Amino acid sequence: MYSNAFDFACTPELSCPSEVATEHQISQIAKFLPTIYKTKAWQLAYSRSRSGTSLSLLYRNLRDTREAVLIIKDSERHVFGAFCPEPLAARMEYFGSGETFLYSFGSGETVDTFHWTTKNPFFIYADADGFGFGADPGFGLFIDKELLKGHSAQCQTFDNPVLAASRDFDIAKLEIWALVDELEVPN
């Protein structure tokens, strides 16, 4: 777990307000992004409340997205997620890089981040049944194909604890934010 980040005013420009995270929480996540992404704007690429529970639509909405931030709120109001340095798409093999990380606020406003330990290269896995981050012995974070349930466990990739209120959790809200140079103007 990293406890310090390059600390400067790091509230990114958002395409719309988040329904999942507070402005302070978004600022906290942004502090831990790799330096090259800290100045990028955040474009809402997928929101379960707006787009429904379709994993195929989620993958379709993200096909032109490079870097993205996943933000989840579970039914116990814990906020957590992951940074994806590559497009989230069904590949049926692990992908990503050492820039991938997991984070959790618990039910508060202070973030804990969990970065690559170098113990294995199992960063991101995505297929038609869902997507997950980390491995060995289990996923650090996994989201099922209905985008309604998830699982979090300790994994060697990120040496994280359970990120949610419990290992198996119900997803109350889910958003994925694409990191972009300029926000798209709606038609």
Side-chain angles (χ1 to χ4, degrees), residues 94-131:
Y94 278 92
F95 60 97
S97 73
E99 293 180 324
T100 309
F101 67 86
L102 301 176
Y103 66 88
S104 178
F105 289 92
S107 58
E109 290 287 318
T110 303
V111 69
D112 289 321
T113 59
F114 307 94
H115 296 258
W116 183 37
T117 63
T118 72
K119 292 178 183 174
N120 65 46
F122 305 138
F123 305 111
I124 306 167
Y125 184 88
D127 65 17
D129 292 322
F131 58 93

Side-chain angles (χ1 to χ4, degrees), residues 17-23 25-26 29 44 46-49 70-74 77-81 103 105 109 171-177:
S18 173
E19 296 177 358
V20 180
T22 66
E23 187 175 306
Q25 288 172 326
I26 289 171
I29 298 164
L44 186 60
Y46 185 85
S47 167
R48 196 184 76 184
S49 69
L70 166 68
I71 307 176
I72 297 168
K73 184 178 282 185
D74 69 15
R77 304 186 56 78
H78 285 233
V79 175
F80 52 93
Y103 66 88
F105 289 92
E109 290 287 318
I171 298 170
K173 295 180 183 278
L174 180 148
E175 293 175 340
I176 300 180
W177 295 83

Side-chain angles (χ1 to χ4, degrees), residues 168-185:
D168 295 307
F169 58 88
D170 293 326
I171 298 170
K173 295 180 183 278
L174 180 148
E175 293 175 340
I176 300 180
W177 295 83
L179 306 185
V180 298
D181 292 323
E182 294 182 22
L183 294 174
E184 293 178 14
V185 177

Side-chain angles (χ1 to χ4, degrees), residues 24 32 34 54 62 64 66 76 81 87 97 99 157 160 163 187:
H24 176 75
F32 287 95
S54 168
L62 297 175
D64 296 325
R66 293 185 53 196
E76 302 296 319
S97 73
E99 293 180 324
T157 312
N160 59 286
L163 302 173
N187 294 333

Side-chain angles (χ1 to χ4, degrees), residues 12-68:
E13 181 181 8
L14 304 178
S15 61
C16 61
S18 173
E19 296 177 358
V20 180
T22 66
E23 187 175 306
H24 176 75
Q25 288 172 326
I26 289 171
S27 177
Q28 292 290 305
I29 298 164
K31 285 182 184 180
F32 287 95
L33 293 174
T35 304
I36 193 169
Y37 309 122
K38 288 183 187 287
T39 59
K40 300 251 185 187
W42 290 31
Q43 181 81 44
L44 186 60
Y46 185 85
S47 167
R48 196 184 76 184
S49 69
R50 295 177 185 197
S51 301
T53 58
S54 168
L55 183 60
S56 60
L57 178 59
L58 181 148
Y59 288 151
R60 196 167 37 257
N61 283 8
L62 297 175
R63 83 173 147 243
D64 296 325
T65 299
R66 293 185 53 196
E67 305 82 23

